[in-house]
Amino acid sequence: MAGNDDRDEAEVARLIARVALADRKAFAALYQRTSRKLFGVCLRMLQDRADAEEALQEIYIKVWNNAGAYRADMGRPMTWLIAIARNHALDMLRRRRQAAVELDEAGEIADPQAGPEETAVLTSEGRRIEDCMRELEEDRAAAVRSAYVEGMSYLELAGLYGVPLNTMRTWLRRSLIKLRECMDR
Amino acid sequence: MTTPENKRSDRSRDEVLAGEYVLGVLPLPDRLRVEHRLRDDKAFQAIVARWQENLASFNTEYAAEAPPSWLYGAVETKLFNKGAPEQPKGLIWSSLTFWRGLTLVTLSAAVFFAASAGGLFRKPAAEPSVVAMLGSGTSSISLVTLFDRQTGRLKVTPVAAGAAKSQSLELWLIEGDSAPVPLGVFPDQGDGSIVIPPDMRNRLKDGVTLAVSLEPFGGSPTGKPTGPVVASGKIGA
């Protein structure tokens, strides 16, 4: 199905280019095509429907205002859109959780949600990082994945895996270095 | 002293920092610092983009779900309903954005439009002492305001919003069903007034329509409006 994905990506890229020219019809079409995925990102990260709805509106306002900044050499268009969504959700989470940490310095840890492990159709690049992930110890690979997918902070991850904050920081930094080395091989 | 050793360790520190940023584990102040750096550090942008692309395979874990049907309408309202009206109606500058901006400056000073029909208002004082640029971020118009402390007069000039010298606002005269006739381009600098060409002055009378459109910098290349009309209205209406 890679051909279909490529055509989809090309269409999304074309729509973003039209949106950069303030084309409202293209904006509607882009929303139609991508909002389900971006809403999924918001729901998973924010774990709150009202927050996700609020976030999705702000995300598409950012898409409208920043469409001109997208260039093909910045990666695939869907990756770019999801990065906008994740960054917005992360900002909301960090603001929210920063307040929570101030209230409760003992660090009450959110109950981790077991993510559905979907079998995914991966691109060749994606498969490479999955190969590299397998070279990490199991719990560290899981921590990397939870950090990305759920938007968990170092503190939350430390609580989840029952290790001190600094240990978690070391885990993830070493994992990132290993991943980078593996992919550069 | 930049040695190859230093370079290598800077590079690997940046790799880790970019990876932490894309993973999303950084606390808010660190995130904001990274975002600040991303604005003009091209090399660092590339490192972040690479992590983004590499880790994008995790994106398959996000299950798509339809947002509620009202949501797109809410986005459109936030983005577009602040703008200019679609149809010429009422007074010139009837744009909501324009008046919203204007209320910020009408506190006590008398407000004069520099762009008024020729000679309607007195010549502005020579040295305006305060200049401010008012805008909403989403509107196509910004207002340049000049305050002259000596006379207490505040002058407001609309200019195209956005990057300097990328777009201009052009004023048009429309008589009945005739094609719009260009009256002038608003200057993008503070001291803005349009001098109406002498042969056009007696055509500015009750019942004719004035309109302002957003044009390429310097004005319409064709002599006809090419961009969206951001404000319009009839004289004397």
Side-chain angles (χ1 to χ4, degrees):
Chain A
M1 299 307 267
N4 265 342
D5 285 352
D6 286 350
R7 267 202 298 283
D8 267 10
E9 293 276 5
E11 176 62 8
V12 171
R14 192 190 69 82
L15 290 172
I16 292 171
R18 298 294 310 167
V19 169
L21 299 170
D23 180 335
R24 291 191 196 178
K25 277 205 186 106
F27 185 59
L30 183 67
Y31 180 90
Q32 194 68 30
R33 195 173 268 264
T34 58
S35 58
R36 297 177 75 249
K37 184 70 175 184
L38 299 196
F39 192 51
V41 172
C42 295
L43 282 171
R44 182 77 180 271
M45 294 183 82
L46 297 169
Q47 303 278 323
D48 179 285
R49 189 158 279 272
D51 281 358
E53 288 168 358
E54 185 61 36
L56 193 66
Q57 294 176 48
E58 296 303 318
I59 287 161
Y60 276 94
I61 287 168
K62 284 185 179 167
V63 169
W64 172 265
N65 289 326
N66 295 315
Y70 174 72
R71 298 188 317 271
D73 64 350
M74 293 160 85
R76 289 168 296 168
M78 207 56 216
T79 306
W80 184 75
L81 289 172
I82 291 173
I84 291 177
R86 285 188 68 251
N87 283 334
H88 187 83
L90 283 167
D91 285 347
M92 282 175 76
L93 284 174
R94 292 295 165 264
R95 291 208 160 87
R96 189 204 274 171
R97 287 176 193 174
Q98 197 179 37
V101 168
E102 279 160 14
L103 285 175
D104 182 6
E105 280 189 292
E108 180 93 16
I109 299 309
D111 208 17
Q113 292 257 326
E117 297 295 330
E118 297 172 31
T119 23
V121 187
L122 297 167
T123 65
S124 53
E125 267 173 321
R127 199 169 290 121
R128 257 180 42 204
I129 191 133
E130 291 295 333
D131 288 344
C132 292
M133 286 284 281
R134 258 177 244 118
E135 293 186 9
L136 300 179
E137 285 166 58
E138 212 173 302
D139 48 1
R140 295 172 199 206
V144 167
R145 195 180 291 268
S146 304
Y148 183 94
V149 177
E150 322 264 356
M152 295 181 103
S153 66
Y154 274 131
L155 189 65
E156 291 165 312
L157 289 164
L160 176 60
Y161 288 87
V163 297
L165 182 61
N166 278 333
T167 305
M168 179 51 69
R169 211 174 263 137
T170 307
W171 274 22
L172 285 202
R173 285 180 180 165
R174 289 210 177 126
S175 299
L176 285 167
I177 292 168
K178 277 189 183 161
L179 286 173
R180 177 49 73 227
E181 282 170 359
C182 167
M183 280 182 299
D184 284 347
R185 273 209 290 271
Chain B
M1 287 289 132
T2 315
T3 65
E5 281 303 306
N6 284 343
K7 265 200 171 145
R8 219 174 3 255
S9 79
D10 280 357
R11 166 85 192 173
S12 89
R13 207 173 47 217
D14 280 354
E15 281 288 355
V16 171
L17 182 63
E20 287 178 297
Y21 172 73
V22 174
L23 276 185
V25 287
L26 295 175
L28 190 62
D30 296 359
R31 277 189 69 72
L32 296 177
R33 261 198 295 280
V34 167
E35 277 164 12
H36 186 76
R37 184 173 163 194
L38 275 171
R39 273 182 232 154
D40 3 68
D41 186 337
K42 291 265 187 278
F44 192 58
Q45 279 172 14
I47 299 174
V48 167
R50 186 153 173 239
W51 273 116
Q52 230 151 40
E53 202 57 41
N54 288 151
L55 299 178
S57 70
F58 297 147
N59 288 341
T60 52
E61 297 214 8
Y62 295 118
E65 184 167 336
S69 54
W70 55 263
L71 204 143
Y72 184 68
V75 173
E76 275 197 313
T77 304
K78 283 185 185 174
L79 273 176
F80 307 131
N81 277 15
K82 297 173 188 167
E86 298 293 329
Q87 293 178 336
K89 216 176 238 176
L91 283 169
I92 190 162
W93 316 128
S94 60
S95 151
L96 177 59
T97 315
F98 184 76
W99 290 110
R100 189 175 288 150
L102 203 57
T103 54
L104 293 173
V105 298
T106 49
L107 299 172
S108 63
V111 174
F112 283 82
F113 293 119
S116 59
L120 217 64
F121 299 120
R122 284 189 296 156
K123 216 171 168 353
E127 285 188 84
S129 42
V130 182
V131 179
M133 190 83 163
L134 312 179
S136 73
T138 53
S139 159
S140 49
I141 299 187
S142 291
L143 301 171
V144 176
T145 62
L146 290 144
F147 181 50
D148 183 339
R149 290 195 193 286
Q150 302 218 307
T151 61
R153 180 168 302 178
L154 184 81
K155 192 166 71 172
V156 181
T157 308
V159 297
K165 302 206 186 303
S166 63
Q167 287 186 304
S168 294
L169 293 175
E170 189 159 5
L171 182 66
W172 305 87
L173 171 70
I174 304 163
E175 296 162 308
D177 293 325
S178 313
V181 182
L183 288 178
V185 174
F186 287 90
D188 69 334
Q189 294 302 316
D191 183 31
S193 53
I194 292 183
V195 177
I196 304 298
D199 57 323
M200 297 299 295
R201 287 176 193 169
N202 57 7
R203 290 167 74 177
L204 290 177
K205 54 189 181 209
D206 280 6
V208 302
T209 298
L210 291 174
V212 175
S213 68
L214 196 61
E215 298 293 338
F217 183 70
S220 165
T222 65
K224 300 267 178 284
T226 62
V229 170
V230 294
S232 75
K234 276 186 168 43
I235 291 183

